[in-house]
Amino acid sequence: ALTKRVTCDDGNVTANKACCALFPVVSLLQEQLFDGSECGEEAHSALRLSFHDAIGFSVNGGKGGGADGSILIFNTTETGFHANGGIDDITADQWKVFPQTGLSAGDFVHLAAAVGTANCPGAPRLQFMFGRPPPVAAAPDFTVPEPTDSVTDILARFADAGFSPEEVIALLSSHTIAAADVVDPSIPGTPFDSTVGTFDTQVFLEVLLKGTLFPGNGPQPGEVESPLAGEMRLQSDFELSQDPRTACFWQQMINDQTRMQSQFKAAMAKLQVLGQDTSKLIDCSDVVPQPATFSGPISFPASFSQSDVQQACSSAFPAISTVAGPAPTLAPVPGS
Ligand code: HEM
Ligand SMILES: [Ca+2]
């Protein structure tokens, strides 16, 4: 099929003339929010923000507007919710850039997440749909899952927002570029896997390794023992990796970059338009930068092997080699 191409005044090419307005916004985001296209703290936080914005929605009605940017506009309300701990840093950073763009808050929050994620090697190129109207109200409290929640409660909240258990695990691929600032405030920037700057499947492997330590003043609420000094493990990630409803979805991600990318991309495409009338949105995915590739394979961190895996799915476990040397100590993410 022939794809329509439009050349914008600045020379960029896109499928739809309306998308031309977004290329300068992408450049602004890269310069002013992401420190020059980095996969750093702000990119990670922009992805988390898109989730906390969008999940304020119910297919049964009676919750918020979903992926509408309410978390930015009504941040004084939503950053006060316990589950949004630490989100105030990225809302403050985004407030400095947002007024320069002319975008709606929903378009801004969800474009920033797509662009920030694209700065991380190995990420899929996320879809971006353009044209969300301004948000009308803050989301209510208790829509964002917490690491202290049970698997039953987490799956129920996601089901209420329209997601299957397999899609929940797909969305949790995001924790491959994640770190915690407020779970244990004594150790801000503590990563969830040993490759926090790469959108690989390492987090799915490392959450299965036998936990032996708390990286700071643990245990904190929502924290369980991790296998590596300097690594944070969320109780929710661990329980989802072990639960019969999700353990095989979790294990299937390990060292399958293609599966992870396509499932994460599809689930994010759904998340980032929750509550929106998609018939009124324009597909501007071609303004999102193409992420660098990660070719893999992943490895066990040094000193770990198959015998350290707490396998909870009966399918064959993928063969994975071990990095040479002594067990690593992970460094915190700078700027946290
Ligand atoms: C069961 C569901 C989830 C729970 C309980 C959960 C919980 C958490 C917690 C406690 C943190 C650390 C916050 C801090 O201390 O600073 C975190 C970080 C993060 N989460 Fe989740 N999360 C969930 C699902 C998701 C989803 C669906 C996404 C995106 C699609 C996401 C993206 C992130 C990212 C990118 C970070 C790192 C932020 C940064 O490094 O600044 N999470 N999550
Ligand atoms: Ca990673």
Side-chain angles (χ1 to χ4, degrees):
L2 278 175
T3 310
K4 208 178 88 188
R5 310 299 288 160
V6 175
T7 302
C8 309
D9 292 344
D10 61 8
N12 280 301
V13 177
T14 166
N16 193 308
K17 185 120 189 80
C19 307
C20 288
L22 297 175
F23 289 105
V25 178
V26 172
S27 300
L28 198 69
L29 284 167
Q30 295 290 33
E31 287 155 28
Q32 296 193 9
L33 190 63
F34 300 132
D35 306 321
S37 310
E38 276 185 7
C39 175
E41 156 78 2
E42 292 80 14
H44 306 163
S45 302
L47 177 57
R48 181 176 180 226
L49 187 70
S50 77
F51 169 52
H52 288 223
D53 182 52
I55 201 68
F57 177 77
S58 169
V59 292
N60 305 305
K63 290 208 167 73
D68 61 357
S70 66
I71 203 164
L72 187 58
I73 296 292
F74 302 105
N75 69 82
T76 50
T77 302
E78 294 195 31
T79 58
F81 302 159
H82 185 264
N84 288 338
I87 284 275
D88 52 332
D89 284 353
I90 189 67
T91 53
D93 290 344
Q94 291 199 357
W95 260 114
K96 295 177 204 150
V97 186
F98 166 60
Q100 304 173 51
T101 63
L103 264 53
S104 70
D107 284 342
F108 183 81
V109 164
H110 294 284
L111 180 61
V115 173
T117 301
N119 291 342
C120 302
R125 189 187 197 189
L126 296 181
Q127 176 184 287
F128 179 69
M129 302 296 284
F130 183 33
R132 293 167 188 76
V136 294
D141 201 355
F142 309 114
T143 65
V144 180
E146 297 250 32
T148 45
D149 291 347
S150 68
V151 170
T152 297
D153 287 353
I154 289 169
L155 295 181
R157 176 71 271 277
F158 274 100
D160 180 47
F163 294 95
S164 69
E166 188 165 18
E167 288 172 322
V168 173
I169 302 309
L171 287 171
L172 281 168
S173 304
S174 55
H175 283 179
T176 188
I177 55 160
D181 290 344
V182 301
V183 172
D184 184 341
S186 73
I187 46 166
T190 302
F192 294 174
D193 78 1
S194 59
T195 57
V196 68
T198 306
F199 211 112
D200 52 15
T201 65
Q202 197 75 30
V203 70
F204 291 107
L205 177 64
E206 291 179 19
V207 167
L208 289 185
L209 299 177
K210 252 174 240 151
T212 53
L213 61 89
F214 292 104
N217 287 333
Q220 298 289 339
E223 179 188 25
V224 295
E225 283 180 312
S226 85
L228 291 175
E231 181 164 291
M232 171 66 60
R233 178 180 290 167
L234 296 181
Q235 178 185 308
S236 49
D237 283 350
F238 183 63
E239 290 188 352
L240 286 159
S241 81
Q242 300 296 306
D243 192 280
R245 291 165 285 185
T246 43
C248 286
F249 299 137
W250 190 279
Q251 181 177 308
Q252 279 159 358
M253 291 295 195
I254 297 171
N255 209 22
D256 194 340
Q257 187 73 12
T258 308
R259 179 191 183 94
M260 183 275 285
Q261 283 191 333
S262 69
Q263 289 201 2
F264 178 66
K265 178 173 177 144
M268 284 299 296
K270 196 167 153 179
L271 181 76
Q272 294 193 287
V273 298
L274 275 190
Q276 298 294 320
D277 177 355
T278 51
S279 72
K280 301 213 171 93
L281 302 182
I282 299 166
D283 189 341
C284 288
S285 303
D286 55 13
V287 310
V288 177
Q290 189 70 57
T293 55
F294 166 76
S295 35
I298 64 163
S299 309
F300 282 110
S303 84
F304 290 86
S305 67
Q306 185 66 42
S307 62
D308 301 302
V309 173
Q310 290 170 294
Q311 195 174 341
C313 169
S314 59
S315 320
F317 202 83
I320 292 170
S321 62
T322 298
V323 172
T329 295
L330 307 188
V333 174
S336 299

